[in-house]
Amino acid sequence: MGGGKPQMPGSSLPKLSAGPVGQQIHSIYKGRLAQFASNGQYSSQNLQAAMYEGRASGDESVKLQVYSPPNQARPTFKEATSHDFTDTHVGASFGPSWSTHWIRISLKVPQQLQRKEHLEFHWDADNEGLIWTEDGEPLQGLTGGGERIEWVLPDSFRDGKSHTFYIEMACNVMFGNAMGDIIQPPNPNRYYQLKLADIVAVNLEARALFVDFWIIGDAAREFPEDSWEEHQALQICNEIMDTFINGRGKQDSILQGREIARKYIGNVDSAKVYDSENVPHVYAIGHCHIDTSWLWPWAETKRKIARSWSNQCDLMDRYPEHRFTCSQAQQYKWLETLYPKLFDRVKSKIKEGTFQTIGGSWVEHDTNLPSGESLVRQFLYGQRYFESRFGERCKTFWLPDTFGYSSQLPQLCRLAGMGRFFTQKLSWNNINVFPHTTFSWVSLDGSQVLCHMAPDETYTAEAHFGDVNRSISQHKSLDQDNTGLLVFGKGDGGGGPTFEMLEKLRRCRGLSDKTGRLPRVKMGDSVDDYFAMLEKKAEDGTEFVTWYGELYLELHRGTYTSQANNKRNNRQSEVILHDIEYLATVATLKDSNYRYPKKEIDDIWEDVLLCQFHDTLPGSCIEMVYRDSDELYAKVFKAGEKLLQGAMSALGFNSTTAHKSELKAVNTLPWWRAEIAKVPDSQEYALVSGGPGISNVKTLSGISKSTASIGQLEDGVFQLSNEHFGVTVENGTITSLVDLFEDRELIPKGQKANQLVIFDDKPLYWQAWDVEVYHTRSRQELPPSKSYIVEKGPHIVSLCTEHRISEDSWIKTTISLAASIEGQPSYIAMSSEVEWHETMKFLKVEFPVDISNTQASYETQYGIVRRPTHYNTSWDMAKFEVCCHRWADLSEAGYGVSILNDSKYGFATAGNLMRLSLLRAPKAPDAHADMGRHHIRYAILPHSGPLDHRTVRTARNFNHPFKLFHGPSAPDRSASLLNSVQLTGSPALILDAIKRGEDDEDVSQGELPTRKGQSIILRIYESLGGKARGNICVDEDVLEVKKIEKVNLLEDDGEEVVFEKGKCRIELRAFEVATFRLQL
């Protein structure tokens, strides 16, 4: 029949339902994923059961022998292998802590494994180790405890013959030898059992599927549940599991599982995954942060470097996309010295561009505590090492783990050739969240560096799915830039990236390209490439936000005080190096036979810079480290004293009494000064005065005029006075301090200065690192036991007060007042001897003053930091304990008070109460931290008028005593040379260092091209915060200067400045650091 309607095509959906289909219970199917690859109760049935195709162990395949060096010695390969070895076996224990055991392994691959695709040797003794070839080449590090236990066997081992190699076993784990909590003191008797020594045939497809499933499973767990990408990931994972189960875990099911995974992540089996043109947002760089000392000593660090860096060289051979960066010139030098073959291997990788140097400093140093000149030398020695060994300097300052960042670092970085800075430590703040990721960090003088803080907030990322995701999701500067740096690899105790991390990143990239949603990660670029991209954005108009001044870490404030004697050694080392360089420079000008001791000075500086590592100097290492640093400092002082005597001798002086010789002094500071000092080996006093160089010494014996006096007013109450001050001391505390010139009382009524107080000191976790804001609630005043007069004047008066802190601890504090000297500020000096045996206590000394200001001033390197004295905001309150150098000051209009010190760094000012931190007593990681004898000097320096050069100079005088000697009474060429270069003009200008040029032909050690002739380097800075003008003045009758250049910290050729008639006019901006080369 015609005229009917056309028939509609039929539906492909079956007409009748085949049966009920339920909706997946999302949480159950997601929970199921844990069954597939875990080592739990299903491991015999899941993917773990398919990971290995065969295994061989026992003496026939793996014969083990051991040599155990005595007394915790760490012999070289040659020394160790020269000894007899005895049989050992799996199950044997090795120890105690810190000991070394050399294992000789004779390995024979059995016939049934010889044709397997991939063979590895698996070794696990739960401790660290290093594999060596039979002829002494270090190959690869081992971590233990299930991590990095594999070594890929060479194909040459498949010949059925016996092959020998060695494992140098270190009886420590990655984080030392603590039991349980890693920051507790190490257990000295820890033993390690050898669990595994097997030849293993690895199923590479199963291992690859393991990583596929890991990353897709992370997508199922971490993508939002309302996203299709999360749902698809869950379906893919369950399909892989079903396929594996239905295929009974055989190889075909594994291969099918990998095909299923490719639907979500694509082909990820090679570095080609990174070849797509899609724009990346996350730039991944391998890194291995090795603390130069922390929970292990320097001797172990040297081995950690070899273990870690050999691993990375091996990974670079296997993964062409792998780029690895490491800082710290000291670590490279150790490798060069101790592992020359491995150093050559690293050097070849650096040349290829896969192993990348970074940082530009000698170590990853603390930046709060070292002096300005120490920071300069960190860069000078670091950059010179990198340039001399690898042909180029670093462009990026790399400091991910230091406990706060000094306000002058941007300026010093720029002067050292680095305009970029990487860190992440401010993510540890425990009060406020730092608001930026990528920003311009501005120094006190206005210099800036481009700073990037890893958005993932770690420098030891595991390269997980979440690490890639957080590199954008936690980025705080997306308004300016939508890229982040992902720094991954095992760290702190070394190790670096693992093959699993590189495999995970391949899959993350494949997932981003195939499916999306995850930020796209890229491998193959350097940190410098990343910063160059940011700089290009700035050049093209992107305005990065700015942060002015210090990057204060709101954590680890106790590190300004912990390990007090270590900090004292640092300060004294800096002083002696300053003096050596000044005197040795002058000695080379006087005596052509005197050789400037450049190598010896370099050795001392390198030792001091090593001790400024960011756990060593702050005081957060184990006890072994401080035993080592004590020995190193003793070596520094011994060598330094020898160099001082050598320079003094070349100048015609000696420190021993000579017949008919006159007592003289050398002033190593660049201004006139005077003080009353005790004559060595005598009870007499002398007035020492003079400008730079030789000063006059006038003995005061027989002079009876009472210029300083002391008297007892009543029991426990004493009056000390000179022309400037009247001081009332009651039971060891200052209850009245009157400026007689100004007729002004400085101590508020009813309050007490020089009051010793002790606090309970139990931070939330990090004992040696932290002091918490609540510690002030436990304040207790130390009561005195007795006070007595020590010196009655007339030149110096002093009063000693003894305090009993506890049954085991005491303190004797001597308050001294010297006679006033015209033209010199007068101050009240305190000298304390402390026997300290406390537990989790904090000792401070208080100075309430009748001064009002919402800000206090603190000396920092090459400048002043002003911080709040109030708690208006959480940012203000967070600075309840801060760092200072030689002085802290609280001033108001017309008057102020400075507190000076000779070796302390912790301070607090709350309202008008100033507190100098003296000693702590943490019990982790060093159970005996700060226990024993201490000597402390500090002083109160009241001053009329504002904070100015008087405080800056007096604090330096306090730290740089005159050097007394016996010598000829008539000035000679030495006297003229010692003050032949002077700085005049604004008193805010400080001549901080005088030294010889690094590459002068008579000084150079040959590591870099020499410079003809002789030169003198001057480091000058503006100290008060304003533009300052002055003159470099040269006595042309004594010293012939051809020209003067303004150079950078590295002493590169700079801009020649006008030098006429013995004068060079200079102008420095506020807090500017300037270096000048005087070419002779």
Side-chain angles (χ1 to χ4, degrees):
M1 296 175 62
K5 293 182 180 180
Q7 187 172 358
M8 299 297 292
S11 170
S12 60
L13 179 69
K15 181 177 181 181
L16 299 177
S17 170
V21 178
Q23 183 175 1
Q24 291 181 2
I25 309 302
H26 204 71
S27 60
I28 293 176
Y29 280 83
K30 188 181 291 187
R32 181 197 186 203
L33 304 187
Q35 295 180 0
F36 186 57
S38 69
N39 282 312
Q41 61 180 327
Y42 301 116
S43 60
S44 64
Q45 300 291 312
N46 66 15
L47 186 60
Q48 288 292 336
M51 295 292 279
Y52 305 114
E53 299 175 326
R55 187 179 292 268
S57 60
D59 283 354
E60 286 191 10
S61 298
V62 184
K63 182 174 176 57
L64 305 176
Q65 295 177 299
V66 62
Y67 163 64
S68 299
N71 303 320
Q72 297 188 357
R74 294 176 172 88
T76 64
F77 175 88
K78 184 176 181 180
E79 293 168 343
T81 55
S82 68
H83 289 270
D84 293 332
F85 282 66
T86 58
D87 290 345
T88 189
H89 55 87
V90 172
S93 291
F94 299 89
S97 304
W98 310 116
S99 62
T100 297
H101 305 270
W102 283 82
I103 315 295
R104 181 163 61 203
I105 300 169
S106 300
L107 185 145
K108 183 178 179 181
V109 177
Q111 186 174 4
Q112 69 270 21
L113 297 183
Q114 291 173 14
R115 295 186 179 276
K116 296 295 185 180
E117 178 186 9
H118 184 82
L119 295 181
E120 294 177 350
F121 177 67
H122 285 196
W123 171 275
D124 196 350
D126 282 338
N127 56 17
E128 292 193 86
L130 178 62
I131 298 175
W132 295 77
T133 64
E134 189 174 18
D135 58 356
E137 181 178 352
L139 290 180
Q140 180 195 311
L142 300 165
T143 300
E147 291 192 348
R148 210 183 315 256
I149 62 171
E150 75 288 337
W151 174 48
V152 179
L153 291 179
D155 286 341
S156 60
F157 279 34
R158 296 171 179 264
D159 59 4
K161 299 178 182 178
S162 179
H163 296 267
T164 300
F165 60 95
Y166 293 85
I167 291 179
E168 179 187 10
M169 177 194 290
C171 283
N172 52 265
V173 297
M174 193 72 82
F175 291 92
N177 269 306
M179 299 292 285
D181 184 352
I182 67 166
I183 73 164
Q184 294 306 308
N187 179 350
N189 293 304
R190 189 170 177 181
Y191 281 76
Y192 296 87
Q193 186 178 50
L194 177 57
K195 297 177 178 178
L196 185 65
D198 288 359
I199 302 169
V200 178
V202 179
N203 183 341
L204 290 181
E205 290 294 342
R207 179 180 278 178
L209 180 60
F210 178 88
V211 187
D212 293 344
F213 193 86
W214 187 347
I215 294 302
I216 302 172
D218 280 349
R221 287 181 286 268
E222 298 187 36
F223 275 156
E225 283 197 6
D226 61 357
S227 67
W228 68 265
E229 296 93 343
E230 186 266 357
H231 285 266
Q232 184 179 359
L234 186 58
Q235 296 308 308
I236 291 287
C237 285
N238 275 277
E239 186 179 353
I240 290 171
M241 292 181 70
D242 292 341
T243 300
F244 182 84
I245 292 168
N246 294 333
R248 299 182 181 276
K250 297 189 180 299
Q251 192 69 5
D252 284 348
S253 68
I254 292 171
L255 295 174
Q256 290 174 37
R258 295 219 65 211
E259 284 299 322
I260 295 166
R262 289 189 182 101
K263 292 190 292 185
Y264 198 81
I265 60 176
N267 188 337
V268 294
D269 289 343
S270 75
K272 292 180 180 180
V273 70
Y274 296 106
D275 289 347
S276 74
E277 296 298 322
N278 296 322
V279 177
H281 296 284
V282 179
Y283 293 80
I285 187 75
H287 178 54
C288 171
H289 181 70
I290 304 177
D291 284 317
T292 300
S293 60
W294 182 31
L295 304 177
W296 51 87
W298 290 320
E300 198 55 45
T301 304
K302 296 169 184 177
R303 302 202 295 189
K304 284 177 175 284
I305 296 163
R307 292 192 285 260
S308 302
W309 294 4
S310 61
N311 288 340
Q312 301 315 307
C313 290
D314 172 65
L315 287 174
M316 289 167 195
D317 292 337
R318 295 156 57 193
Y319 292 87
E321 74 269 30
H322 184 34
R323 300 295 181 269
F324 174 77
T325 194
C326 235
S327 65
Q328 307 195 72
Q330 172 70 86
Q331 295 189 4
Y332 287 85
K333 185 173 182 179
W334 278 338
L335 191 76
E336 179 184 17
T337 304
L338 301 173
Y339 301 89
K341 290 183 180 179
L342 180 54
F343 180 79
D344 288 342
R345 190 178 177 194
V346 166
K347 196 170 182 178
S348 69
K349 297 297 183 185
I350 291 172
K351 189 174 182 179
E352 293 170 6
T354 50
F355 195 119
Q356 299 162 354
T357 59
I358 202 166
S361 58
W362 190 249
V363 294
E364 288 188 12
H365 52 91
D366 179 80
T367 78
N368 290 314
L369 308 173
S371 69
E373 191 61 29
S374 286
L375 294 183
V376 168
R377 301 307 173 96
Q378 287 285 353
F379 291 139
L380 179 67
Y381 282 88
Q383 289 285 50
R384 287 178 63 83
Y385 182 87
F386 288 122
E387 183 179 10
S388 65
R389 299 323 192 266
F390 311 119
E392 61 182 14
R393 298 168 178 171
C394 300
K395 298 176 183 177
T396 302
F397 184 36
W398 181 272
L399 202 58
D401 192 31
T402 292
F403 311 149
Y405 301 90
S406 166
S407 52
Q408 285 287 48
L409 277 177
Q411 179 180 189
L412 300 182
C413 284
R414 296 308 294 258
L415 291 171
M418 295 181 286
R420 307 154 175 177
F421 176 51
F422 172 83
T423 187
Q424 64 80 47
K425 196 65 175 184
L426 294 193
S427 66
W428 284 44
N429 279 5
N430 70 345
I431 295 179
N432 298 286
V433 176
F434 190 77
H436 310 304
T437 293
T438 305
F439 60 98
S440 179
W441 181 24
V442 185
S443 196
L444 291 178
D445 78 313
S447 300
Q448 64 177 344
V449 292
L450 189 57
C451 180
H452 181 73
M453 296 189 182
D456 192 33
E457 298 184 347
T458 182
Y459 51 88
T460 60
E462 294 280 342
H464 289 320
F465 175 100
D467 291 311
V468 175
N469 200 36
R470 285 188 293 272
S471 294
I472 297 300
S473 68
Q474 294 183 169
H475 201 298
K476 302 182 184 73
S477 302
L478 292 175
D479 289 342
Q480 291 78 39
D481 179 65
N482 61 358
T483 65
L485 199 61
L486 173 60
V487 181
F488 69 96
K490 302 287 184 180
D492 292 330
T498 63
F499 80 87
E500 294 98 334
M501 295 178 188
L502 297 168
E503 292 287 353
K504 284 186 285 181
L505 287 173
R506 284 182 176 181
R507 284 152 178 81
C508 286
R509 175 57 183 260
L511 189 159
S512 300
D513 286 343
K514 184 73 174 178
T515 300
R517 195 170 193 95
L518 183 68
R520 187 170 291 108
V521 65
K522 182 181 181 184
M523 288 281 291
D525 286 348
S526 68
V527 175
D528 284 333
D529 291 334
Y530 178 74
F531 272 102
M533 181 182 65
L534 295 178
E535 289 175 345
K536 183 64 168 60
K537 289 184 178 180
E539 182 183 333
D540 291 343
T542 298
E543 292 185 334
F544 290 105
V545 297
T546 54
W547 184 276
Y548 282 77
E550 68 178 331
L551 294 173
Y552 176 86
L553 177 65
E554 296 177 0
L555 199 71
H556 295 358
R557 304 166 184 90
T559 59
Y560 312 144
T561 305
S562 297
Q563 299 287 358
N565 283 328
N566 188 61
K567 290 174 168 60
R568 187 169 185 257
N569 285 337
N570 175 72
R571 181 82 64 89
Q572 291 179 343
S573 299
E574 292 170 338
V575 169
I576 198 172
L577 278 162
H578 169 278
D579 293 351
I580 289 169
E581 291 183 328
Y582 166 54
L583 296 172
T585 296
V586 176
T588 61
L589 305 178
K590 174 184 180 291
D591 184 353
S592 60
N593 293 319
Y594 174 80
R595 179 187 61 84
Y596 187 80
K598 181 68 166 60
K599 181 182 184 305
E600 294 83 353
I601 290 173
D602 287 349
D603 289 344
I604 294 175
W605 264 118
E606 289 179 9
D607 288 343
V608 172
L609 298 177
L610 169 61
C611 291
Q612 291 173 350
F613 179 73
H614 68 252
D615 279 303
T616 315
L617 183 55
S620 49
C621 292
I622 60 173
E623 186 175 6
M624 293 174 73
V625 173
Y626 295 107
R627 289 201 297 264
D628 290 345
S629 68
D630 285 348
E631 291 180 7
L632 196 59
Y633 278 124
K635 173 187 162 190
V636 162
F637 295 134
K638 182 178 180 180
E641 189 60 34
K642 182 178 179 181
L643 294 182
L644 277 176
Q645 294 305 320
M648 294 283 282
S649 179
L651 291 168
F653 313 134
N654 62 71
S655 60
T656 59
T657 303
H659 182 60
K660 294 183 179 179
S661 63
E662 186 176 343
L663 189 63
K664 290 283 186 179
V666 171
N667 175 17
T668 58
L669 294 180
W671 47 70
W672 185 91
R673 56 192 282 213
E675 66 182 49
I676 295 173
K678 184 167 281 189
V679 177
D681 303 318
S682 169
Q683 296 302 310
E684 294 183 344
Y685 284 96
L687 175 62
V688 186
S689 62
I694 298 178
S695 300
N696 295 316
V697 180
K698 180 181 179 181
T699 57
L700 299 176
S701 58
I703 300 176
S704 60
K705 180 182 177 182
S706 180
T707 51
S709 63
I710 187 170
Q712 184 167 359
L713 304 181
E714 56 183 276
D715 187 28
V717 182
F718 300 82
Q719 178 78 37
L720 294 74
S721 61
N722 62 12
E723 292 182 357
H724 200 159
F725 298 117
V727 185
T728 302
V729 180
E730 184 173 348
N731 294 323
T733 61
I734 299 173
T735 56
S736 174
L737 172 53
V738 178
D739 185 329
L740 301 175
F741 291 166
E742 299 290 328
D743 189 24
R744 175 166 182 159
E745 172 64 65
L746 300 177
I747 308 301
K749 186 176 181 179
Q751 297 190 39
K752 299 172 289 186
N754 197 45
Q755 174 66 65
L756 292 164
V757 288
I758 197 164
F759 302 87
D760 190 68
D761 187 19
K762 298 185 181 73
L764 296 176
Y765 176 66
W766 299 97
Q767 283 195 45
W769 294 259
D770 286 349
V771 57
E772 285 298 350
V773 64
Y774 52 75
H775 81 282
T776 56
R777 298 166 66 95
S778 61
R779 175 184 179 274
Q780 290 184 323
E781 297 181 359
L782 290 184
S785 56
K786 60 180 177 179
S787 298
Y788 49 90
I789 295 172
V790 177
E791 295 179 275
K792 298 181 178 180
H795 315 299
I796 291 180
V797 295
S798 58
L799 173 72
C800 182
T801 300
E802 298 181 6
H803 295 80
R804 173 60 65 176
I805 300 171
S806 67
E807 184 176 333
D808 299 315
S809 303
W810 51 260
I811 180 168
K812 294 179 183 178
T813 299
T814 300
I815 302 175
S816 299
L817 184 65
S820 299
I821 301 172
E822 185 176 354
Q824 288 289 286
S826 187
Y827 54 78
I828 301 91
M830 273 66 72
S831 177
S832 295
E833 182 181 12
V834 189
E835 185 67 22
W836 182 249
H837 296 281
E838 296 302 297
T839 296
M840 301 177 193
K841 299 295 181 184
F842 201 150
L843 180 67
K844 301 187 180 189
V845 59
E846 295 181 339
F847 306 94
V849 292
D850 191 15
I851 301 289
S852 179
N853 199 326
T854 57
Q855 285 190 320
S857 299
Y858 304 86
E859 186 187 40
T860 188
Q861 301 96 339
Y862 299 129
I864 298 170
V865 177
R866 293 180 173 88
R867 301 181 178 110
T869 61
H870 55 77
Y871 298 155
N872 283 1
T873 70
S874 59
W875 291 89
D876 300 325
M877 188 183 70
K879 295 179 180 179
F880 61 85
E881 180 88 3
V882 298
C883 182
C884 74
H885 278 233
R886 287 164 289 222
W887 57 265
D889 182 87
L890 184 62
S891 292
E892 61 187 23
Y895 207 92
V897 174
S898 301
I899 305 299
L900 318 180
N901 75 82
D902 77 335
S903 60
K904 296 299 164 188
Y905 296 90
F907 209 92
T909 306
N912 69 339
L913 179 62
M914 307 175 78
R915 280 194 184 116
L916 177 65
S917 297
L918 302 181
L919 293 170
R920 299 186 67 224
K923 299 304 174 187
D926 177 359
H928 304 103
D930 282 314
M931 299 298 98
R933 191 66 56 91
H934 298 269
H935 295 88
I936 305 166
R937 293 174 60 241
Y938 54 94
I940 308 172
L941 173 66
H943 56 85
S944 60
L947 168 66
D948 60 18
H949 69 279
R950 293 169 296 172
T951 290
V952 175
R953 292 186 174 188
T954 304
R956 282 181 171 255
N957 296 347
F958 194 72
N959 280 267
H960 286 254
F962 279 101
K963 297 188 180 302
L964 297 178
F965 66 93
H966 288 83
S969 58
D972 60 1
R973 189 160 185 265
S974 294
S976 301
L977 283 169
L978 282 164
N979 60 12
S980 59
V981 178
Q982 295 194 35
L983 181 62
T984 64
S986 170
L989 294 175
I990 303 295
L991 176 53
D992 192 46
I994 299 176
K995 61 183 283 291
R996 288 295 306 277
E998 290 292 313
D999 296 311
D1000 288 356
E1001 58 187 354
D1002 64 328
V1003 167
S1004 170
Q1005 297 301 293
E1007 66 269 30
L1008 291 171
T1010 59
R1011 181 183 298 277
K1012 289 185 177 181
Q1014 294 181 313
S1015 67
I1016 299 174
I1017 300 296
L1018 308 180
R1019 194 103 56 224
I1020 299 170
Y1021 75 98
E1022 195 286 318
S1023 64
L1024 296 176
K1027 184 176 291 186
R1029 298 184 178 94
N1031 294 287
I1032 299 172
C1033 299
V1034 178
D1035 185 347
E1036 294 187 299
D1037 292 333
V1038 179
L1039 196 62
E1040 182 181 349
V1041 174
K1042 296 177 181 178
K1043 66 176 181 178
I1044 298 180
E1045 291 178 279
K1046 188 176 183 181
V1047 300
N1048 60 18
L1049 301 183
L1050 307 181
E1051 303 176 18
D1052 296 329
D1053 288 339
E1055 177 186 358
E1056 187 172 349
V1057 295
V1058 176
F1059 175 61
E1060 294 178 342
K1061 297 180 180 179
K1063 284 189 178 181
C1064 170
R1065 185 176 183 274
I1066 64 172
E1067 179 178 288
L1068 272 62
R1069 63 184 176 270
F1071 298 126
E1072 180 183 358
V1073 180
T1075 305
F1076 296 90
R1077 177 168 50 234
L1078 281 59
Q1079 191 67 45
L1080 307 184

